[in-house]
Amino acid sequence: MSQRHAFATLLLLSTTLVAPAALAQTNGAGAPAQTSTPATASPSGAADPQSAAPTSTDQQEAPVEVSAPGMNGDGADIVVVGRNIPNVVRATPQIVSVLSTADIARTGEGDIAGALTRVTGLSVVGGGFVYVRGLGDRYSSSLLNGSPLPSPEPLRRSVPLDIFPTTIVGSALVQKTYSVNYPGEFGGGVINLTTKAIPDKNFVQVGGSIAADDSTTSELGYTYHGGGADWIGYDDGTRKVPAFIRNAPKGSGIIPAAQVAQLSNASTTLLQRNNQLPANWSGEISGGSVYDIGSSRLGVIASLSASNTFRTRSAVQQDSVSADGTLRNDFRTLLTDNRIVANALIGLGLEFGENTVRWTNVYIHDTLKQARGSAAELYNNASGLRFQQNTNWFERQLIETQLVGEFKITDALKVDARGAYANSKRNAPYERQFDYLCSATTTNGYPITSDGIQQAGGFQCNGAYQVTQRFTPFASIIFSELNEDLWTGQADASYKIDADRPITLSAGYFYQDTKRRSSRLVFNYQTSRGGGTAPGYPYNLLRPDYLLSPDVLNNACPLDGTGACTIQLQFNTQAGAYRYDAKLNVHAGYVQAEAEAFDGLRAVIGVRYEKGDERVTPFGVTTGGTRLRNDYFLPASTLTWNFAPDMQLRASAAKTISRPQFRELAPQQFRDPDSDRLFFGNPLLRDSELYNLEARYEWFFKRDQRFTLAGFYKRIDRPIEQVGFYTGADDRLQTGFTYLPKAVLYGGEIELQKYFPLGDLFAGSDFFATRRALLIANYTYTKSKITADGTCVPNPAVDFRSTGTGLAGCGSKLGPAGLLFRDGAPLTGQSDHLVNVQVGIEDKESLSQITLLFNYASDRVTNRGPSNLGGNTFQPDIVEHPGIRLDLVARQGVKLLGGEFEIKAEARNLTRTRYNESQTFASGKEVYINRYNLGRVFSLGVSATF
């Protein structure tokens, strides 16, 4: 590796990438091959626009650093067919998009998931999960500095990228074509986050911001007290889970009143109104130092940041079990999320000679404190105004430590190795729910007269709320925990054979060991008389914390005599496993060759052998376990043809796989707090296999300016999809998983990045003399189609313990795909159209930037329409309507008091686009599964660097 002058590269094990938004990755073979006749002129003798020195209008972005497996180049200029090509975009074969530090800053996004929505073909669905070209997060993998990440989400194996603040991410690379140096689980793409590198001088940076959401800040919301440290996202022991809860599966299933009284009460049960929700804030401090030790250099960087945000959603939540869309439930819900994020980064790097070793440690703690109130007069078998309240606490944590070494043994032989340990946790203690019914009479017949004074708008209770036998259970509490450990190791080597046409051979080995334990303990409150019975009058009129006070717990039926009954907890497994253990072991190796086959035509060909052993073991049930042991040969090849000085064509073909996620296999029920939907795994799922083709035209008409056009095609065998179903007229919508015989996805992308110097247009203006206009625009068209024929596939609506005959002659727990899906329907999560446009003005000599960002995503299916209760027809699919989003970001640098200050102002969601997830029936009736307004967010931030 060549000595770099800027020590910003110290911690990074990579080629220096130079284009700011969409680059091509250095491949696993190391530096691309040179021809035998290096030169700096094109064959025609004309100057190559890519090799020309930058003019005054060519702003030089800071180098983009990417740390990934097999990226062992030296960053030198590349010579192909007698043309010197300093732009790595053209010098490497794979098709990637990269967000540099400058690009991330330009978007102004606070987390990396938001910033990635600006990349061609990417969309973010369901709180931070990235979809690449319409393929869901299960078809994408996330890496941190080249090492896989564990997920703190029970529903997914992939990590939600909204937990990564942009303050600790130096670059984000999205590779859309497969190369064998990456894991074989590659469908839509791989997303590699590289943490920030060491600067070339000592520094300290501090910053902070404040923001207001016009749908939340100073508006009505719900909250609850919780613990004393909730404001920083940590529980102070208020929600400590006692041993008798953890041991409940081993006992009789009944928790007596004496133990129920030991649970936290008022601090986790009492829902409170807040008419003046506070503003959002964030703060950060970071620093770095460099030390010369003889001929070696040691660098250290550290970062610490925190944020606290509120978001209130006033939602309409409806559903229907009828073929014509007649409403069954029609709830109005007010839900307030208080999200508190803390993160830290510590990195050490040592550079000696042409070798680099670095140690990186990342800590992210993400907490969601949620309070929810929901009311309806229309629900199944309605008997009056119903009010349901929930208080939740979801605490996620991710820790990763990684050691990377890059060594240049000889001029021809390079070796790099990386090892990492990561741990993710998700704790959700005290998920509480209470159900009240408004009635004008008590349960023993006394009339209730309202004084007509209501403290809230919306539904009005003409009487009093009380817990009754109408809703069983009248209250519940859930304790869930997830812990996942991930060990990975990888070694890569490349050897360059110096011949007339040099050939670079590379090989590598990869190991992964993932272990997860997930438990969900559900308890229903009832009296000691059993059967989900509720406390008697007058205690059933009490608010939740009084309802669970010692006086009521020990005397729940006062009209029947003192101590006639008590309140207890009943352990309820809800027809599934209360816990599951899962693990995935992967061993893989690859070989790859890169060479220039003919003048201007480079080829990279490789094959990866990958062997996986995936197991899911449920507890509390006698069946439902899964073991998938498979091995695959996964070939990949890419051709790059430099047919003109500033143009080239690429073509790529590869086979990849996608394994079922742990949660998709586990027979355990789980409620998604965002969609308020129940999920249940399917032990009968199998691996998916993907066949990928892509072609791309690239025109680099000026430095860091380009036009690209691409087409892609994917065939997926046994794609896994979500299926909605109702188990009965009284039951809520549930989502299960199954696979299809096959699906195809195809489409195209177009991208343009162009700068316009403004000095010539406004001659004589000092203001515009150093400024330029920026236009970055991309469009992705994607179409997909599933095949749902008579092939027998797992039926998620059938109990996983069933031994009966399947549907239409299929085996047990199976059914024809045509009865579960609509033939020809699109894949879930896929938008036909994605548009991103950035228009801005920026100064080339100092920090002064204003950018308008436009984003559009067309409708996409989030959940398959459930079968009607008769089982022979479908309801419409559940479709999200993302619509248009418009943001404005302004940044201004100021030098003051010996420091460099940056002032940033943002205006988000200027169109105030609402969230809308609905079903549209043939009659034209629309059922709103989840609809709420999204507020405009205005923020102001200041940071200073010394």
Side-chain angles (χ1 to χ4, degrees):
M1 185 174 73
S2 60
Q3 186 74 24
R4 298 182 177 92
H5 298 292
F7 199 58
T9 61
L10 171 63
L11 288 186
L12 294 169
L13 154 76
S14 67
T15 293
T16 302
L17 304 180
V18 297
L23 308 181
Q25 178 204 323
T26 303
N27 60 82
Q34 293 186 347
T35 63
S36 58
T37 56
T40 58
S42 67
S44 64
D48 187 337
Q50 293 301 307
S51 62
T55 67
S56 60
T57 60
D58 290 328
Q59 183 185 25
Q60 292 300 293
E61 303 274 1
V64 180
E65 300 290 349
V66 177
S67 177
M71 294 186 66
N72 201 1
D74 55 15
D77 291 357
I78 309 304
V79 181
V80 178
V81 200
R83 293 193 304 278
N84 182 33
I85 305 176
N87 194 329
V88 183
V89 171
R90 303 178 58 198
T92 57
Q94 305 303 331
I95 297 174
V96 307
S97 296
V98 170
L99 287 177
S100 67
T101 302
D103 298 319
I104 295 170
R106 185 183 291 119
T107 69
E109 298 284 356
D111 60 69
I112 201 63
L116 284 171
T117 61
R118 315 299 177 179
V119 174
T120 309
L122 267 64
S123 57
V124 175
V125 179
F129 295 95
V130 175
Y131 282 51
V132 181
R133 291 170 170 171
L135 287 174
D137 64 284
R138 66 176 321 281
Y139 294 106
S140 302
S141 57
S142 301
L143 309 177
L144 184 66
N145 297 324
S147 295
L149 287 166
S151 176
E153 284 295 327
L155 278 177
R156 296 172 170 92
R157 185 169 66 236
S158 57
V159 63
L161 297 181
D162 62 346
I163 70 173
F164 287 93
T166 54
T167 54
I168 70 170
V169 177
S171 71
L173 175 147
V174 182
Q175 182 169 318
K176 300 174 184 176
T177 54
Y178 179 63
S179 54
V180 296
N181 54 301
Y182 279 116
E185 287 199 75
F186 186 106
V190 62
I191 300 167
N192 184 70
L193 307 180
T194 299
T195 51
K196 287 190 173 180
I198 296 295
D200 57 355
K201 61 181 180 180
N202 299 344
F203 81 97
V204 174
Q205 183 181 64
V206 294
S209 69
I210 189 168
D213 181 332
D214 66 6
S215 287
T216 301
T217 308
S218 295
E219 298 292 336
L220 170 66
Y222 284 139
T223 184
Y224 67 97
H225 182 269
D230 283 9
W231 69 279
I232 57 173
Y234 292 85
D235 182 60
D236 63 357
T238 298
R239 301 176 182 85
K240 183 178 180 180
V241 182
F244 63 81
I245 291 292
R246 298 184 185 277
N247 296 329
K250 304 174 184 178
S252 65
I254 298 296
I255 306 295
Q259 291 181 325
V260 175
Q262 298 177 36
L263 297 176
S264 171
N265 184 9
S267 59
T268 61
T269 59
L270 185 59
L271 192 68
Q272 298 172 308
R273 290 161 48 87
N274 187 333
N275 291 304
Q276 295 289 326
L277 288 173
N280 304 328
W281 61 266
S282 66
E284 177 202 8
I285 182 170
S286 58
S289 297
V290 182
Y291 306 93
D292 291 319
I293 306 175
S295 61
S296 302
R297 305 195 78 186
L298 175 69
V300 60
I301 188 171
S303 173
L304 179 66
S305 66
S307 65
N308 190 312
T309 61
F310 284 85
R311 183 180 69 150
T312 294
R313 290 170 280 172
S314 181
V316 176
Q317 296 178 322
Q318 303 171 334
D319 67 39
S320 172
V321 294
S322 304
D324 61 359
T326 300
L327 292 182
R328 179 185 65 157
N329 291 308
D330 187 8
F331 280 87
R332 299 297 182 269
T333 299
L334 186 68
L335 185 151
T336 300
D337 293 331
N338 180 201
R339 187 177 181 193
I340 310 102
V341 179
N343 63 81
L345 166 72
I346 299 177
L348 296 173
L350 178 65
E351 188 177 74
F352 53 101
E354 296 186 81
N355 308 299
T356 302
V357 176
R358 79 168 185 170
W359 181 33
T360 305
N361 302 273
V362 175
Y363 170 81
I364 299 174
H365 190 273
D366 185 348
T367 298
L368 181 66
K369 182 180 181 180
Q370 187 179 81
R372 174 183 181 272
S374 188
E377 293 178 329
L378 176 61
Y379 50 92
N380 196 49
N381 297 322
S383 55
L385 177 60
R386 179 182 185 180
F387 180 77
Q388 190 178 77
Q389 73 156 64
N390 299 80
T391 52
N392 302 313
W393 174 269
F394 305 103
E395 191 173 351
R396 302 183 297 184
Q397 179 177 289
L398 174 65
I399 299 174
E400 176 160 25
T401 181
Q402 181 191 67
L403 186 64
V404 175
E406 181 188 60
F407 308 99
K408 185 174 182 180
I409 309 302
T410 67
D411 289 341
L413 178 62
K414 299 175 184 178
V415 176
D416 72 79
R418 68 190 64 227
Y421 166 74
N423 172 264
S424 67
K425 298 180 185 293
R426 181 185 186 272
N427 294 325
Y430 288 88
E431 290 182 66
R432 288 191 177 273
Q433 177 172 302
F434 290 84
D435 238 325
Y436 283 86
L437 177 67
C438 174
S439 178
T441 60
T442 66
T443 50
N444 60 343
Y446 293 136
I448 301 175
T449 303
S450 172
D451 59 11
I453 301 175
Q454 301 285 343
Q455 296 184 355
F459 290 110
Q460 303 296 313
C461 178
N462 185 24
Y465 286 110
Q466 51 196 301
V467 294
T468 70
Q469 290 294 111
R470 172 63 184 86
F471 307 122
T472 301
F474 70 90
S476 64
I477 186 170
I478 302 172
F479 300 85
S480 59
E481 292 182 335
L482 180 147
N483 185 83
E484 182 168 308
D485 293 307
L486 173 62
W487 296 87
T488 58
Q490 180 156 348
D492 303 270
S494 66
Y495 185 78
K496 182 178 179 180
I497 301 174
D498 192 10
D500 290 340
R501 293 189 180 275
I503 301 174
T504 301
L505 303 177
S506 58
Y509 169 77
F510 172 79
Y511 171 73
Q512 173 182 336
D513 180 29
T514 307
K515 293 181 180 178
R516 172 186 284 193
R517 171 171 291 188
S518 176
S519 65
R520 186 173 187 263
L521 305 179
V522 181
F523 298 87
N524 294 335
Y525 283 93
Q526 64 178 24
T527 72
S528 53
R529 292 175 175 174
T533 51
Y537 175 84
Y539 291 155
N540 64 337
L541 294 168
L542 297 176
R543 71 189 198 190
D545 57 328
Y546 292 164
L547 192 65
L548 300 182
S549 64
D551 288 343
V552 180
L553 289 177
N554 297 306
N555 186 29
C557 306
L559 298 183
D560 297 336
T562 303
C565 73
T566 61
I567 291 180
Q568 59 188 18
L569 285 176
Q570 178 193 33
F571 178 58
N572 181 11
T573 60
Q574 297 198 1
Y578 70 87
R579 174 188 139 194
Y580 71 87
D581 290 352
K583 64 179 182 179
L584 173 63
N585 292 317
V586 176
H587 293 270
Y590 74 88
V591 293
Q592 181 176 267
E594 178 180 358
E596 188 173 10
F598 305 100
D599 286 352
L601 180 65
R602 285 189 300 136
V604 178
I605 301 175
V607 63
R608 183 183 186 92
Y609 174 76
E610 187 161 305
K611 181 178 181 180
D613 185 356
E614 183 175 15
R615 307 184 195 188
V616 175
T617 305
F619 291 79
V621 294
T622 57
T623 185
T626 302
R627 183 175 188 183
L628 298 174
R629 300 179 65 186
N630 296 300
D631 60 340
Y632 302 93
F633 284 98
L634 305 173
S637 64
T638 303
L639 298 177
T640 303
W641 179 30
N642 297 100
F643 63 91
D646 55 358
M647 299 182 189
Q648 65 185 20
L649 287 174
R650 304 180 192 270
S652 175
K655 178 185 177 182
T656 55
I657 60 171
S658 178
R659 297 182 177 91
Q661 300 178 23
F662 292 148
R663 186 61 193 91
E664 294 170 342
L665 291 168
Q668 183 187 73
Q669 192 177 82
F670 176 81
R671 185 180 70 87
D672 182 355
D674 286 328
S675 63
D676 201 24
R677 194 170 297 149
L678 294 172
F679 288 79
F680 205 89
N682 191 331
L684 301 179
L685 300 180
R686 298 166 60 190
D687 293 354
S688 302
E689 298 181 44
L690 298 91
Y691 300 86
N692 312 276
L693 297 174
E694 177 144 357
R696 182 180 176 101
Y697 162 77
E698 299 170 337
W699 176 27
F700 302 92
F701 50 85
K702 203 170 186 181
R703 180 179 294 273
D704 295 340
Q705 302 183 55
R706 63 192 172 274
F707 170 81
T708 64
L709 180 66
F712 53 89
Y713 174 87
K714 297 177 184 291
R715 192 192 86 193
I716 310 174
D717 292 344
R718 298 180 301 278
I720 295 173
E721 286 280 273
Q722 296 181 173
V723 184
F725 62 93
Y726 294 102
T727 56
D730 293 331
D731 294 331
R732 297 168 57 189
L733 175 68
Q734 295 195 42
T735 298
F737 303 92
T738 187
Y739 60 78
L740 292 150
K742 68 176 181 178
V744 296
L745 178 142
Y746 57 90
E749 296 176 346
I750 186 170
E751 181 183 20
L752 172 68
Q753 178 166 318
K754 174 67 179 172
Y755 296 108
F756 302 90
L758 297 178
D760 297 336
L761 185 61
F762 299 94
S765 170
D766 293 338
F767 179 82
F768 289 105
T770 60
R771 283 174 166 81
R772 66 180 181 178
L774 162 72
L775 173 63
I776 300 176
N778 58 69
Y779 166 72
T780 302
Y781 171 77
T782 307
K783 201 73 175 177
S784 62
K785 184 171 63 175
I786 63 175
T787 297
D789 52 21
T791 304
C792 294
V793 298
N795 184 354
V798 175
D799 192 308
F800 68 96
R801 294 164 293 194
S802 172
T803 57
T805 304
L807 295 175
C810 292
S812 178
K813 298 185 284 290
L814 303 178
L819 291 181
L820 301 174
F821 296 89
R822 291 182 185 84
D823 188 44
L827 291 164
T828 54
Q830 178 247 308
S831 291
D832 286 357
H833 308 281
L834 293 174
V835 180
N836 291 290
V837 179
Q838 298 181 41
V839 179
I841 297 176
E842 56 188 26
D843 197 313
K844 297 176 293 182
E845 297 183 0
S846 63
L847 176 58
S848 180
Q849 201 174 79
I850 184 167
T851 309
L852 184 67
L853 303 103
F854 170 91
N855 174 265
Y856 169 74
S858 61
D859 294 353
R860 55 193 175 214
V861 175
T862 58
N863 203 92
R864 293 290 168 214
S867 299
N868 288 311
L869 293 179
N872 54 359
T873 56
F874 295 97
Q875 286 191 353
D877 288 338
I878 299 173
V879 177
E880 180 190 350
H881 313 278
I884 293 173
R885 182 184 174 99
L886 197 63
D887 302 330
L888 183 66
V889 178
R891 303 168 63 219
Q892 180 64 50
V894 178
K895 292 186 178 180
L896 186 68
L897 302 176
E900 297 181 0
F901 288 77
E902 177 184 337
I903 303 171
K904 182 170 69 173
E906 303 175 37
R908 299 285 179 183
N909 192 28
L910 293 174
T911 54
R912 219 175 187 220
T913 301
R914 68 173 50 177
Y915 181 87
N916 187 3
E917 190 182 16
S918 65
Q919 293 174 287
T920 302
F921 289 79
S923 63
K925 183 176 180 58
E926 188 170 11
V927 175
Y928 299 110
I929 303 299
N930 206 4
R931 185 182 70 167
Y932 52 86
N933 289 327
L934 294 169
R936 293 182 292 260
V937 180
F938 302 92
S939 66
L940 180 65
V942 178
S943 64
T945 303
F946 298 94

